[in-house]
Amino acid sequence: MKDLRRYLVLKYIQYLVLSSPNVASTFLGLLGSTYTLLLLQSAKVSSKSTTVLISSIAKADVLVAVCVVSDLIIWTFDVNVSSTALMSALLQNLLTANTHISCLLLSCIAFEAYLITFFPVESRRVRTVRNAKQTARIIWILVIAECVILLMEDFLKANSASALISSHCTWLSHFSGRAADLLRSLSYFLGILLRIVNVYFYYKIFFSMSNR
């Protein structure tokens, strides 16, 4: 459907074109995800692997909605948060999870479009609803694990002054710190790689369609 294609274009611009999110793109992304989730409930939309991945992208914006609502509550009611640094880290990790999940799922959709264009028959066994659900589930699990490690590092940093933490959990602090640094490096290079791969896929698809 055209609306789903427009939504994908919006998400590609939001996550793979813009260098960093802004208020306008975030607001439009939330509106688009809300509309898409409602649209996918329609009987007119068939259940395909692509729609499964699109649905997962839209659901990932729930993490952004949680951050927005939390900020509004804190700002409107002047809520005193006991650990401001930890709360800020938690909200930032939710935004990071949203970005990483969306980028990976968008890349899966680009790869699927590439398979449909060049290997429509051979890839039919791969492009199933079941595989799409499993792929989305694996992506969510991996990104959640990443955010747990990042949040653990932030928690240990916030409590670094505690004698209990410094004496008994030094190894955990070192592990989380090294793991978090490694994840940040991997995320940076993976982000660049995903942008290149997506451009390549759609470049091949575009010229393949134009030559027909």
Side-chain angles (χ1 to χ4, degrees), residues 74-109:
I74 293 173
W75 178 74
T76 304
F77 299 100
D78 195 19
V79 178
N80 291 322
V81 183
S82 57
S83 180
T84 306
L86 192 59
M87 176 60 71
S88 176
L90 175 60
L91 296 179
Q92 184 59 46
N93 281 330
L94 291 179
L95 294 176
T96 299
N98 168 261
T99 300
H100 291 179
I101 289 170
S102 298
C103 288
L104 290 169
L105 289 172
L106 287 169
S107 299
C108 290
I109 292 175

mmCIF file of all heavy atoms in Angstrom, residues 74-109:
data_model
loop_
_atom_site.group_PDB
_atom_site.id
_atom_site.type_symbol
_atom_site.label_atom_id
_atom_site.label_comp_id
_atom_site.label_asym_id
_atom_site.label_seq_id
_atom_site.Cartn_x
_atom_site.Cartn_y
_atom_site.Cartn_z
ATOM 1 N N ILE A 74 7.647 14.871 34.066
ATOM 2 C CA ILE A 74 8.661 15.500 34.922
ATOM 3 C C ILE A 74 8.627 17.016 34.792
ATOM 4 O O ILE A 74 8.733 17.753 35.778
ATOM 5 C CB ILE A 74 10.062 14.951 34.562
ATOM 6 C CG1 ILE A 74 10.153 13.464 34.926
ATOM 7 C CG2 ILE A 74 11.155 15.731 35.287
ATOM 8 C CD1 ILE A 74 11.427 12.795 34.450
ATOM 9 N N TRP A 75 8.450 17.495 33.552
ATOM 10 C CA TRP A 75 8.457 18.944 33.321
ATOM 11 C C TRP A 75 7.159 19.602 33.786
ATOM 12 O O TRP A 75 7.176 20.663 34.416
ATOM 13 C CB TRP A 75 8.673 19.211 31.836
ATOM 14 C CG TRP A 75 8.654 20.674 31.488
ATOM 15 C CD1 TRP A 75 9.623 21.598 31.743
ATOM 16 C CD2 TRP A 75 7.594 21.374 30.823
ATOM 17 N NE1 TRP A 75 9.241 22.829 31.277
ATOM 18 C CE2 TRP A 75 7.997 22.729 30.704
ATOM 19 C CE3 TRP A 75 6.352 20.991 30.312
ATOM 20 C CZ2 TRP A 75 7.200 23.691 30.097
ATOM 21 C CZ3 TRP A 75 5.561 21.957 29.703
ATOM 22 C CH2 TRP A 75 5.985 23.282 29.605
ATOM 23 N N THR A 76 6.019 18.956 33.524
ATOM 24 C CA THR A 76 4.727 19.561 33.849
ATOM 25 C C THR A 76 4.471 19.597 35.350
ATOM 26 O O THR A 76 4.066 20.622 35.903
ATOM 27 C CB THR A 76 3.581 18.793 33.154
ATOM 28 O OG1 THR A 76 3.822 18.760 31.745
ATOM 29 C CG2 THR A 76 2.244 19.466 33.435
ATOM 30 N N PHE A 77 4.713 18.469 36.007
ATOM 31 C CA PHE A 77 4.396 18.366 37.431
ATOM 32 C C PHE A 77 5.603 18.601 38.332
ATOM 33 O O PHE A 77 5.504 18.452 39.551
ATOM 34 C CB PHE A 77 3.795 16.986 37.729
ATOM 35 C CG PHE A 77 2.519 16.722 36.984
ATOM 36 C CD1 PHE A 77 2.512 15.945 35.832
ATOM 37 C CD2 PHE A 77 1.320 17.268 37.420
ATOM 38 C CE1 PHE A 77 1.341 15.702 35.135
ATOM 39 C CE2 PHE A 77 0.138 17.022 36.727
ATOM 40 C CZ PHE A 77 0.150 16.244 35.587
ATOM 41 N N ASP A 78 6.724 18.954 37.717
ATOM 42 C CA ASP A 78 7.949 19.240 38.472
ATOM 43 C C ASP A 78 8.279 18.091 39.426
ATOM 44 O O ASP A 78 8.504 18.279 40.629
ATOM 45 C CB ASP A 78 7.800 20.547 39.256
ATOM 46 C CG ASP A 78 9.150 21.060 39.753
ATOM 47 O OD1 ASP A 78 10.182 20.632 39.200
ATOM 48 O OD2 ASP A 78 9.161 21.863 40.704
ATOM 49 N N VAL A 79 8.286 16.883 38.863
ATOM 50 C CA VAL A 79 8.543 15.690 39.661
ATOM 51 C C VAL A 79 10.016 15.634 40.022
ATOM 52 O O VAL A 79 10.891 15.806 39.166
ATOM 53 C CB VAL A 79 8.138 14.419 38.881
ATOM 54 C CG1 VAL A 79 8.452 13.175 39.699
ATOM 55 C CG2 VAL A 79 6.657 14.473 38.540
ATOM 56 N N ASN A 80 10.293 15.379 41.294
ATOM 57 C CA ASN A 80 11.667 15.231 41.746
ATOM 58 C C ASN A 80 12.098 13.781 41.586
ATOM 59 O O ASN A 80 11.569 12.892 42.244
ATOM 60 C CB ASN A 80 11.804 15.651 43.215
ATOM 61 C CG ASN A 80 11.609 17.141 43.389
ATOM 62 O OD1 ASN A 80 12.043 17.925 42.560
ATOM 63 N ND2 ASN A 80 10.938 17.536 44.474
ATOM 64 N N VAL A 81 13.035 13.545 40.696
ATOM 65 C CA VAL A 81 13.543 12.199 40.460
ATOM 66 C C VAL A 81 14.720 11.958 41.389
ATOM 67 O O VAL A 81 15.650 12.761 41.460
ATOM 68 C CB VAL A 81 13.974 12.021 38.990
ATOM 69 C CG1 VAL A 81 14.442 10.594 38.747
ATOM 70 C CG2 VAL A 81 12.821 12.365 38.066
ATOM 71 N N SER A 82 14.667 10.858 42.133
ATOM 72 C CA SER A 82 15.702 10.584 43.127
ATOM 73 C C SER A 82 17.078 10.450 42.495
ATOM 74 O O SER A 82 18.072 10.895 43.039
ATOM 75 C CB SER A 82 15.350 9.306 43.906
ATOM 76 O OG SER A 82 15.200 8.214 43.011
ATOM 77 N N SER A 83 17.139 9.806 41.353
ATOM 78 C CA SER A 83 18.420 9.654 40.655
ATOM 79 C C SER A 83 18.270 10.208 39.243
ATOM 80 O O SER A 83 17.898 9.497 38.315
ATOM 81 C CB SER A 83 18.836 8.178 40.620
ATOM 82 O OG SER A 83 20.059 8.032 39.943
ATOM 83 N N THR A 84 18.546 11.498 39.105
ATOM 84 C CA THR A 84 18.354 12.161 37.819
ATOM 85 C C THR A 84 19.258 11.580 36.747
ATOM 86 O O THR A 84 18.843 11.371 35.606
ATOM 87 C CB THR A 84 18.627 13.668 37.960
ATOM 88 O OG1 THR A 84 17.829 14.189 39.023
ATOM 89 C CG2 THR A 84 18.303 14.396 36.678
ATOM 90 N N ALA A 85 20.509 11.311 37.117
ATOM 91 C CA ALA A 85 21.464 10.781 36.145
ATOM 92 C C ALA A 85 21.034 9.408 35.641
ATOM 93 O O ALA A 85 21.106 9.119 34.441
ATOM 94 C CB ALA A 85 22.852 10.702 36.773
ATOM 95 N N LEU A 86 20.568 8.562 36.562
ATOM 96 C CA LEU A 86 20.153 7.216 36.171
ATOM 97 C C LEU A 86 18.887 7.253 35.319
ATOM 98 O O LEU A 86 18.762 6.503 34.345
ATOM 99 C CB LEU A 86 19.929 6.358 37.417
ATOM 100 C CG LEU A 86 19.779 4.851 37.179
ATOM 101 C CD1 LEU A 86 21.024 4.295 36.503
ATOM 102 C CD2 LEU A 86 19.518 4.124 38.488
ATOM 103 N N MET A 87 17.952 8.128 35.675
ATOM 104 C CA MET A 87 16.731 8.260 34.882
ATOM 105 C C MET A 87 17.046 8.773 33.486
ATOM 106 O O MET A 87 16.500 8.290 32.488
ATOM 107 C CB MET A 87 15.763 9.215 35.586
ATOM 108 C CG MET A 87 14.488 9.500 34.796
ATOM 109 S SD MET A 87 13.518 8.012 34.463
ATOM 110 C CE MET A 87 12.896 7.652 36.103
ATOM 111 N N SER A 88 17.943 9.747 33.412
ATOM 112 C CA SER A 88 18.354 10.271 32.113
ATOM 113 C C SER A 88 19.018 9.188 31.270
ATOM 114 O O SER A 88 18.780 9.091 30.061
ATOM 115 C CB SER A 88 19.313 11.445 32.311
ATOM 116 O OG SER A 88 19.789 11.918 31.070
ATOM 117 N N ALA A 89 19.840 8.358 31.921
ATOM 118 C CA ALA A 89 20.503 7.263 31.208
ATOM 119 C C ALA A 89 19.486 6.239 30.713
ATOM 120 O O ALA A 89 19.603 5.714 29.603
ATOM 121 C CB ALA A 89 21.528 6.596 32.119
ATOM 122 N N LEU A 90 18.477 5.960 31.540
ATOM 123 C CA LEU A 90 17.442 5.005 31.149
ATOM 124 C C LEU A 90 16.674 5.492 29.927
ATOM 125 O O LEU A 90 16.453 4.736 28.964
ATOM 126 C CB LEU A 90 16.481 4.771 32.316
ATOM 127 C CG LEU A 90 15.269 3.875 32.027
ATOM 128 C CD1 LEU A 90 15.714 2.486 31.602
ATOM 129 C CD2 LEU A 90 14.355 3.798 33.245
ATOM 130 N N LEU A 91 16.266 6.753 29.945
ATOM 131 C CA LEU A 91 15.527 7.311 28.812
ATOM 132 C C LEU A 91 16.392 7.352 27.555
ATOM 133 O O LEU A 91 15.912 7.087 26.449
ATOM 134 C CB LEU A 91 15.022 8.713 29.159
ATOM 135 C CG LEU A 91 14.007 8.795 30.308
ATOM 136 C CD1 LEU A 91 13.607 10.237 30.571
ATOM 137 C CD2 LEU A 91 12.770 7.947 30.006
ATOM 138 N N GLN A 92 17.673 7.676 27.733
ATOM 139 C CA GLN A 92 18.579 7.698 26.584
ATOM 140 C C GLN A 92 18.755 6.305 25.996
ATOM 141 O O GLN A 92 18.831 6.133 24.777
ATOM 142 C CB GLN A 92 19.936 8.270 27.009
ATOM 143 C CG GLN A 92 20.930 8.419 25.865
ATOM 144 C CD GLN A 92 20.417 9.328 24.771
ATOM 145 O OE1 GLN A 92 19.898 10.406 25.036
ATOM 146 N NE2 GLN A 92 20.552 8.902 23.519
ATOM 147 N N ASN A 93 18.801 5.301 26.863
ATOM 148 C CA ASN A 93 18.924 3.923 26.381
ATOM 149 C C ASN A 93 17.675 3.478 25.625
ATOM 150 O O ASN A 93 17.764 2.692 24.672
ATOM 151 C CB ASN A 93 19.188 2.976 27.553
ATOM 152 C CG ASN A 93 20.634 3.011 28.008
ATOM 153 O OD1 ASN A 93 21.532 3.262 27.213
ATOM 154 N ND2 ASN A 93 20.869 2.775 29.285
ATOM 155 N N LEU A 94 16.521 3.960 26.051
ATOM 156 C CA LEU A 94 15.287 3.645 25.321
ATOM 157 C C LEU A 94 15.320 4.243 23.916
ATOM 158 O O LEU A 94 14.918 3.595 22.940
ATOM 159 C CB LEU A 94 14.071 4.166 26.087
ATOM 160 C CG LEU A 94 13.733 3.459 27.401
ATOM 161 C CD1 LEU A 94 12.520 4.108 28.054
ATOM 162 C CD2 LEU A 94 13.477 1.971 27.182
ATOM 163 N N LEU A 95 15.815 5.470 23.810
ATOM 164 C CA LEU A 95 15.943 6.097 22.489
ATOM 165 C C LEU A 95 16.967 5.365 21.625
ATOM 166 O O LEU A 95 16.772 5.188 20.418
ATOM 167 C CB LEU A 95 16.342 7.566 22.647
ATOM 168 C CG LEU A 95 15.307 8.484 23.306
ATOM 169 C CD1 LEU A 95 15.872 9.886 23.478
ATOM 170 C CD2 LEU A 95 14.022 8.527 22.490
ATOM 171 N N THR A 96 18.056 4.933 22.267
ATOM 172 C CA THR A 96 19.075 4.168 21.543
ATOM 173 C C THR A 96 18.505 2.849 21.034
ATOM 174 O O THR A 96 18.752 2.446 19.888
ATOM 175 C CB THR A 96 20.281 3.890 22.459
ATOM 176 O OG1 THR A 96 20.851 5.133 22.880
ATOM 177 C CG2 THR A 96 21.342 3.072 21.735
ATOM 178 N N ALA A 97 17.734 2.186 21.886
ATOM 179 C CA ALA A 97 17.107 0.922 21.483
ATOM 180 C C ALA A 97 16.173 1.136 20.301
ATOM 181 O O ALA A 97 16.167 0.350 19.342
ATOM 182 C CB ALA A 97 16.342 0.324 22.663
ATOM 183 N N ASN A 98 15.396 2.196 20.347
ATOM 184 C CA ASN A 98 14.489 2.507 19.238
ATOM 185 C C ASN A 98 15.254 2.714 17.935
ATOM 186 O O ASN A 98 14.871 2.178 16.881
ATOM 187 C CB ASN A 98 13.672 3.749 19.581
ATOM 188 C CG ASN A 98 12.925 4.306 18.386
ATOM 189 O OD1 ASN A 98 13.378 5.253 17.749
ATOM 190 N ND2 ASN A 98 11.794 3.718 18.069
ATOM 191 N N THR A 99 16.334 3.470 18.011
ATOM 192 C CA THR A 99 17.125 3.749 16.811
ATOM 193 C C THR A 99 17.743 2.479 16.241
ATOM 194 O O THR A 99 17.670 2.221 15.029
ATOM 195 C CB THR A 99 18.236 4.764 17.133
ATOM 196 O OG1 THR A 99 17.646 5.979 17.606
ATOM 197 C CG2 THR A 99 19.075 5.061 15.900
ATOM 198 N N HIS A 100 18.339 1.669 17.101
ATOM 199 C CA HIS A 100 19.013 0.459 16.630
ATOM 200 C C HIS A 100 18.021 -0.563 16.080
ATOM 201 O O HIS A 100 18.271 -1.189 15.043
ATOM 202 C CB HIS A 100 19.837 -0.146 17.766
ATOM 203 C CG HIS A 100 21.015 0.687 18.135
ATOM 204 N ND1 HIS A 100 21.894 0.351 19.145
ATOM 205 C CD2 HIS A 100 21.479 1.858 17.626
ATOM 206 C CE1 HIS A 100 22.837 1.270 19.236
ATOM 207 N NE2 HIS A 100 22.599 2.197 18.332
ATOM 208 N N ILE A 101 16.901 -0.737 16.766
ATOM 209 C CA ILE A 101 15.884 -1.672 16.278
ATOM 210 C C ILE A 101 15.355 -1.222 14.923
ATOM 211 O O ILE A 101 15.234 -2.027 13.986
ATOM 212 C CB ILE A 101 14.726 -1.787 17.299
ATOM 213 C CG1 ILE A 101 15.196 -2.536 18.548
ATOM 214 C CG2 ILE A 101 13.527 -2.505 16.682
ATOM 215 C CD1 ILE A 101 14.204 -2.493 19.693
ATOM 216 N N SER A 102 15.061 0.059 14.800
ATOM 217 C CA SER A 102 14.500 0.578 13.550
ATOM 218 C C SER A 102 15.493 0.451 12.401
ATOM 219 O O SER A 102 15.122 0.049 11.287
ATOM 220 C CB SER A 102 14.086 2.041 13.733
ATOM 221 O OG SER A 102 13.086 2.159 14.725
ATOM 222 N N CYS A 103 16.758 0.784 12.653
ATOM 223 C CA CYS A 103 17.773 0.690 11.592
ATOM 224 C C CYS A 103 17.949 -0.745 11.111
ATOM 225 O O CYS A 103 18.044 -1.002 9.901
ATOM 226 C CB CYS A 103 19.105 1.237 12.099
ATOM 227 S SG CYS A 103 19.155 3.025 12.292
ATOM 228 N N LEU A 104 17.993 -1.676 12.039
ATOM 229 C CA LEU A 104 18.166 -3.081 11.664
ATOM 230 C C LEU A 104 16.954 -3.610 10.899
ATOM 231 O O LEU A 104 17.098 -4.330 9.901
ATOM 232 C CB LEU A 104 18.417 -3.925 12.915
ATOM 233 C CG LEU A 104 19.776 -3.713 13.594
ATOM 234 C CD1 LEU A 104 19.812 -4.398 14.951
ATOM 235 C CD2 LEU A 104 20.905 -4.239 12.708
ATOM 236 N N LEU A 105 15.763 -3.254 11.350
ATOM 237 C CA LEU A 105 14.557 -3.723 10.663
ATOM 238 C C LEU A 105 14.416 -3.082 9.282
ATOM 239 O O LEU A 105 14.000 -3.744 8.322
ATOM 240 C CB LEU A 105 13.324 -3.414 11.516
ATOM 241 C CG LEU A 105 13.179 -4.257 12.790
ATOM 242 C CD1 LEU A 105 12.039 -3.729 13.655
ATOM 243 C CD2 LEU A 105 12.929 -5.723 12.445
ATOM 244 N N LEU A 106 14.766 -1.813 9.163
ATOM 245 C CA LEU A 106 14.734 -1.157 7.854
ATOM 246 C C LEU A 106 15.720 -1.814 6.892
ATOM 247 O O LEU A 106 15.437 -1.964 5.697
ATOM 248 C CB LEU A 106 15.055 0.329 8.008
ATOM 249 C CG LEU A 106 13.959 1.198 8.623
ATOM 250 C CD1 LEU A 106 14.495 2.579 8.959
ATOM 251 C CD2 LEU A 106 12.758 1.310 7.692
ATOM 252 N N SER A 107 16.858 -2.225 7.416
ATOM 253 C CA SER A 107 17.841 -2.921 6.581
ATOM 254 C C SER A 107 17.326 -4.288 6.155
ATOM 255 O O SER A 107 17.589 -4.736 5.029
ATOM 256 C CB SER A 107 19.163 -3.062 7.345
ATOM 257 O OG SER A 107 19.687 -1.796 7.680
ATOM 258 N N CYS A 108 16.588 -4.948 7.034
ATOM 259 C CA CYS A 108 15.972 -6.233 6.673
ATOM 260 C C CYS A 108 14.958 -6.047 5.547
ATOM 261 O O CYS A 108 14.872 -6.870 4.624
ATOM 262 C CB CYS A 108 15.291 -6.853 7.891
ATOM 263 S SG CYS A 108 16.427 -7.455 9.165
ATOM 264 N N ILE A 109 14.198 -4.960 5.613
ATOM 265 C CA ILE A 109 13.218 -4.678 4.559
ATOM 266 C C ILE A 109 13.923 -4.380 3.240
ATOM 267 O O ILE A 109 13.484 -4.820 2.165
ATOM 268 C CB ILE A 109 12.314 -3.502 4.983
ATOM 269 C CG1 ILE A 109 11.428 -3.921 6.158
ATOM 270 C CG2 ILE A 109 11.458 -3.023 3.813
ATOM 271 C CD1 ILE A 109 10.594 -2.798 6.730
#
